Amino acid sequence: MTTTTVASFEIKYHQYLDASGKPTKDIPEFAKDMNTMRELYRDMYKLRVFDAKAYALQRTGKMGTYPASLGQEAIGIGYGDAMVKEDVLIPYYRSTGGLLKHGVTMEEILLYWGGDEAGSDYSVAKEDFPICVPIANQIIHASGVAKAIQMRKQKRAVVTEIGEGGTSEGDFYEGVNVAGIWNLGVVFFINNNQWAISVPTDIQTACETYAQKAIAAGVEGIQVDGNDIVAVREVANYAMEKARNGGGPTVIEAITYRLCDHTTADDASRYDDPKVKEEAWKNEPLVRLRKYLEKNKSWSDKDEEKMKEEVAKEVDAAVKAYEAAPKPTPEMMFDNLYAELPELTKPQREAAIKRGAK
Amino acid sequence: MAAITLIEAVNAAMAYELEHDQDVVLFGEDVGKNGGVFRATDGLQKKYGTERVIDTPLAESMIAGLAVGMAAQGMKPIAEMQFMGFIFPAVDQIFCHAARLRHRTRGRLTQPMVIRAPYGGGIHAPEHHSESTEALFSHIPGLKVVIPSNPSRAYGLMLAAIRDPDPVIFLEPKRVYRIVKHEVEDNGEEYPLEACFVDREGSDITLISWGAMMHETLQAAEKLAAEGIEAEVIDVATVSPIDMDTILESVEKTGRACIIQEAPKSGSIGSEIAAEIAEKGILNLLAPIGRVSGYDTVMPYYRLEKQYMPTVDRILDEVRTIMEYK
Ligand SMILES: Cc1ncc(C[n+]2csc(CCOP(=O)(O)OP(=O)(O)O)c2C)c(N)n1
């Protein structure tokens, strides 16, 4: 049997800083600016503190279920930093970093997980989608938003994020496929944190990489060290520039490790090997960036102390604002259901208000 | 304008809005060059271009999810599901997002979209092509479900659906796509959603139906008139949310009600209307509420299709039984 190769592909892996914060190749320009890097370090730290606070609020019955980003901070903060105001973010439930960077406030995020729709009425990122709970649906919304942007000839990137488990859903392929066909300006970030609740990646796919799932759709797929914020920021920026300038979609697999439970409702000790997790801690993104800053004489213990104090204040203020936010009233179940409430439903609204007033 | 069929009316309404509103875009499987498998979008791509009338890859969840994204940007997508039987992959997107985005964001993002699908039996189609699952969508808050029964209503209701600020599931009774013709003025005038149409006035009984079954219902009313029974006939048209005021007013006048639908009986639009009449108008009733419907079975293959669907005779039998109560 004679055969010819009719298609072949390769997936490139990008890393700039290794686990000890040492450059593994030429550092991109932005990462030479230590003010930028200090800012990114602070953003990742803030996300970590925010997560811890959210956990505490849940544990004390002051908030509902919450999914943290422990160990994965470089992803959301990295792509979020590459976004500009005009770009659109279509988040999933673990996109806290991206949302914060794109202007959604901590108070809004707490309100959302605290069970109030007001949390999704973003005051700044007016066109960003609310967090998507059903796995993978948001991938298609991103293509839809990008199609509208393309039709209106605007130069804006659409960014969306999904877990590696989510790439097993049909919507992932459907969304990437149509983005490929129509050359839509979407950046699909896969947060490969090794787990879909308790299901590890070898039960999720037979592929060596998640990035290569892009290839089946004719889309560029690349892999990045998801704990290296320089690399995440750099590939995100590349893909977003490409998206804004008519270059079409990119799938980016960011490799990381979930150092926390899946959510406050999960107990990872039931399935996660403590030795593997211990190893993974050596790779985490904050220490890595701190080491890089220290090597460049741009961070000290004093800086660390000062940052800790400031961030604690900032997060506490957000929690206070969250706790002081007005409670939703019964009519809010009805308002905004439609532009105009159906006649048939109006008596239910009145009844709910009356009952609520008791 | 010359007399046109229901499907031509759907086409004319979409063409009108494509012409007058640059935000309107139409997409789905085969809607472009082929003009849709039923020809509902015939000629639209030629006139409005491949940028506004778009052939998509074959993926229903993607088609609905795309509409969600585009509508959130303020465009007005009209998405076609080739047959309602294949809307199920899209249900996820419709229920979880289209129906809820306005509410979830407190009105920040909205969903001014239409999802069209031909539905119902009677055309000898293969499996999964003939069901009437309108009740499924009616159960979901945030959606409107609209079913035209004739060409002029198809034109006016489609215009209203496209202009509506919320997601509308627009179900086209394909059995009557070409059965009657109406003179329809192509003037862009819409009919109101959430409003029943009283198609025939009568004092003895209220017959309530929608979609293709309106035709059997109106024929039954003619026959009943010959027997001396004057039926009031109501076309519900928007089956969610239902204009119950018109129905209750009519039942108050006639004292009797019979609901006619093609869908299975249990958990249906007919069940809902009957329950509302019982809740708000039971003291006006002179007889139990009657229902003529498809059976609570899987829609049979086409050799048994006629057995499944309500006929004029079945309607007459039910009405005569209701009339026996004095
Ligand atoms: C359609 C759907 N099925 C199941 C769930 C329940 N669920 C929530 S998160 C999750 C695991 C997702 O894992 P992954 O995509 O890897 O993302 P990660 O949470 O690890 O970031 C599951 C099964 C859901 N939200 N939606």
Side-chain angles (χ1 to χ4, degrees), chain B residues 39-223:
Chain B
R39 307 285 175 265
T41 54
D42 200 21
L44 297 181
Q45 189 180 62
K46 211 166 191 184
K47 184 129 189 242
Y48 298 101
T50 52
E51 273 290 290
R52 309 221 13 237
V53 180
I54 310 166
D55 277 320
T56 65
L58 204 173
E60 289 78 11
S61 185
M62 189 278 296
I63 292 169
L66 212 56
V68 170
M70 293 172 83
Q73 283 288 312
M75 303 212 62
K76 293 184 185 162
I78 308 172
E80 176 176 301
M81 296 288 146
Q82 204 154 71
F83 289 88
M84 195 203 204
F86 306 114
I87 205 170
F88 300 110
V91 157
D92 183 12
Q93 289 283 357
I94 297 170
F95 287 11
C96 292
H97 302 285
R100 305 165 57 113
L101 200 62
R102 175 190 287 277
H103 189 258
R104 288 166 73 200
T105 61
R106 292 255 172 103
R108 183 173 58 85
L109 299 176
T110 62
Q111 295 282 277
M113 68 164 79
V114 180
I115 301 211
R116 298 178 38 239
Y119 90 109
I123 64 158
H124 285 208
E127 196 178 6
H128 301 301
H129 286 68
S130 302
E131 285 75 3
S132 300
T133 48
E134 64 267 30
L136 202 62
F137 296 91
S138 304
H139 189 65
I140 304 301
L143 299 177
K144 291 179 182 169
V145 184
V146 176
I147 306 180
S149 62
N150 65 41
S152 39
R153 264 166 224 167
Y155 181 81
L157 292 172
M158 174 55 90
L159 285 174
I162 302 170
R163 294 167 189 169
D164 195 272
D166 292 310
V168 178
I169 309 297
F170 195 87
L171 302 176
E172 297 159 16
K174 59 183 180 289
R175 177 162 65 92
V176 296
Y177 257 159
R178 296 186 167 84
I179 217 170
V180 287
K181 287 190 172 192
H182 277 185
E183 297 277 344
V184 179
E185 199 68 55
D186 189 10
N187 55 6
E189 267 179 37
E190 63 182 64
Y191 281 160
L193 303 182
E194 286 172 71
C196 293
F197 297 88
V198 179
D199 274 348
R200 192 179 193 288
E201 306 230 355
S203 51
D204 298 327
I205 185 167
T206 305
L207 304 184
I208 303 152
S209 190
W210 56 92
M213 224 18 95
M214 278 303 294
H215 295 263
E216 280 74 14
T217 302
L218 284 165
Q219 285 169 38
E222 289 296 316
K223 293 213 161 140

Side-chain angles (χ1 to χ4, degrees), chain A residues 5-305:
Chain A
T5 301
V6 293
S8 60
F9 65 91
E10 58 180 7
I11 298 295
K12 292 239 162 68
Y13 175 75
H14 296 265
Q15 186 197 54
Y16 289 94
L17 300 180
D18 69 12
S20 71
K22 234 177 40 220
T24 50
K25 61 176 161 188
D26 267 357
I27 291 288
E29 275 313 304
F30 80 89
K32 290 175 188 162
D33 176 358
M34 289 304 135
N35 283 332
T36 301
M37 299 317 288
R38 284 159 63 107
E39 205 47 50
L40 288 173
Y41 179 65
R42 185 196 169 91
D43 287 335
M44 289 201 291
Y45 176 75
K46 188 161 86 182
L47 174 54
R48 192 166 283 190
V49 173
F50 177 78
D51 276 356
K53 204 63 176 188
Y55 246 71
L57 287 170
Q58 192 277 336
R59 292 290 189 248
T60 50
K62 290 180 188 156
M63 210 179 71
T65 308
Y66 180 79
S69 302
L70 189 64
Q72 306 153 67
E73 291 91 344
I75 299 176
I77 300 298
Y79 71 67
D81 192 58
M83 292 182 79
V84 297
K85 192 168 148 281
E86 291 72 27
D87 295 336
V88 186
L89 177 60
I90 317 289
Y92 85 135
Y93 50 80
R94 215 182 294 285
S95 297
T96 314
L99 286 167
L100 287 173
K101 283 300 289 182
H102 206 222
V104 176
T105 65
M106 287 189 272
E107 184 192 338
E108 284 163 348
I109 294 171
L110 291 173
L111 270 176
Y112 174 84
W113 293 107
D116 187 340
E117 282 89 349
S120 294
D121 187 8
Y122 305 149
S123 49
V124 173
K126 287 283 183 201
E127 293 176 49
D128 286 6
F129 264 51
I131 287 163
C132 187
V133 170
I135 303 292
N137 289 171
Q138 78 278 10
I139 294 296
I140 302 174
H141 304 158
S143 292
V145 170
K147 181 66 186 166
I149 285 173
Q150 183 185 59
M151 292 182 78
R152 288 168 167 172
K153 302 191 166 49
Q154 298 166 343
K155 288 192 161 207
R156 309 163 70 193
V158 181
V159 182
T160 187
E161 187 181 353
I162 185 170
E164 87 289 343
T167 68
S168 298
E169 293 270 7
D171 276 14
F172 173 77
Y173 177 73
E174 294 185 25
V176 176
N177 185 52
V178 76
I181 298 166
W182 292 344
N183 198 42
L184 302 176
V186 194
V187 184
F188 301 96
F189 253 93
I190 302 169
N191 174 336
N192 178 3
N193 62 18
Q194 314 299 322
W195 298 100
I197 308 187
S198 68
V199 179
T201 53
D202 58 349
I203 295 182
Q204 206 66 246
T205 182
C207 293
E208 310 99 290
T209 72
Y210 286 91
Q212 78 201 57
K213 292 196 173 194
I215 307 300
V219 169
E220 180 182 13
I222 52 186
Q223 208 182 47
V224 64
D225 182 339
N227 290 350
D228 171 6
I229 193 152
V230 176
V232 175
R233 170 74 175 64
E234 179 67 6
V235 294
N237 189 55
Y238 155 77
M240 281 178 217
E241 281 291 314
K242 178 173 127 181
R244 291 181 199 115
N245 294 311
T250 314
V251 171
I252 299 169
E253 175 191 2
I255 300 175
T256 182
Y257 197 90
R258 203 189 74 210
L259 293 170
C260 50
D261 296 329
H262 168 71
T263 64
T264 46
D266 173 51
D267 172 9
S269 72
R270 292 167 62 87
Y271 50 83
D272 197 356
D273 179 347
K275 278 199 211 98
V276 177
K277 196 172 241 167
E278 210 181 293
E279 257 332 279
W281 267 104
K282 294 181 186 158
N283 250 324
E284 66 104 343
L286 268 79
V287 170
R288 186 183 308 201
L289 182 53
R290 184 174 168 177
K291 284 180 180 159
Y292 174 72
L293 286 170
E294 283 169 353
K295 281 193 177 94
N296 284 281
K297 311 236 173 323
S298 297
W299 199 252
S300 66
D301 288 348
K302 235 176 91 194
D303 289 329
E304 184 85 7
E305 279 315 304

